[in-house]
Amino acid sequence: SMLENAPSWASVYDDFIAAVGDRAIVAYNAPFEKRIFRQTCNKYDLVVKCFKYECAMQAFSIWHGEKDQRRDDYKWHKLTNAARMCGVKIKGDAHRAVTDCLTTIGVVEYISRTAMRR
């Protein structure tokens, strides 16, 4: 119902491609976002442009440093948990596009500031 009157992906695709240009896309859980982008482009028969993705969830997990013994890697944390650990206030409902974008920016800015001190 939230997207009932929203424009289709096909109608905003060209504007999105132009807005991103040759910049990297930073996303919390970039593999998921990359898959959704690909699936949505395929649904509308649009070219799947190969962007460079940076994963804020991976960056946070490395910064936080908690090991996941089962995966032999750093533990990945939900965005809401990462925000809480970084003292980032979530402004709006979690799992909504604008809220998640602003929260991701807050987490990335926090780990950037504090990484310099480590």
Side-chain angles (χ1 to χ4, degrees), residues 9-116:
W9 177 243
S11 69
V12 299
Y13 172 82
D14 289 334
D15 290 337
F16 176 80
I17 298 299
V20 174
D22 62 354
R23 292 183 289 273
I25 295 174
V26 177
Y28 204 85
N29 194 354
F32 171 81
E33 300 298 344
K34 187 176 182 177
R35 179 174 54 85
I36 294 301
F37 175 75
R38 184 181 63 250
Q39 288 174 347
T40 307
C41 286
N42 288 338
K43 176 182 177 180
Y44 289 99
D45 293 320
L46 298 167
V47 173
V48 180
K49 186 165 175 356
C50 293
F51 292 108
K52 179 179 180 188
Y53 286 83
E54 298 292 342
C55 186
M57 182 163 49
Q58 182 181 29
F60 175 79
S61 69
I62 293 168
W63 173 87
H64 186 60
E66 183 180 350
K67 291 296 245 173
D68 182 342
Q69 300 303 326
R70 186 173 39 93
R71 290 182 33 236
D72 192 33
D73 202 352
Y74 292 104
K75 181 178 178 183
W76 285 29
H77 296 269
K78 293 179 183 180
L79 179 56
T80 53
N81 293 342
R84 182 180 42 76
M85 288 185 252
C86 293
V88 174
K89 183 175 177 163
I90 299 173
K91 299 173 184 159
D93 295 329
H95 301 298
R96 299 294 180 252
V98 173
T99 301
D100 284 1
C101 286
L102 294 173
T103 304
T104 298
I105 289 168
V107 169
V108 169
E109 287 176 342
Y110 182 84
I111 63 177
S112 293
R113 280 193 314 270
T114 59
M116 302 287 241

Side-chain angles (χ1 to χ4, degrees), residues 1-8:
S1 65
M2 290 174 32
L3 299 174
E4 187 174 7
N5 296 313
S8 70

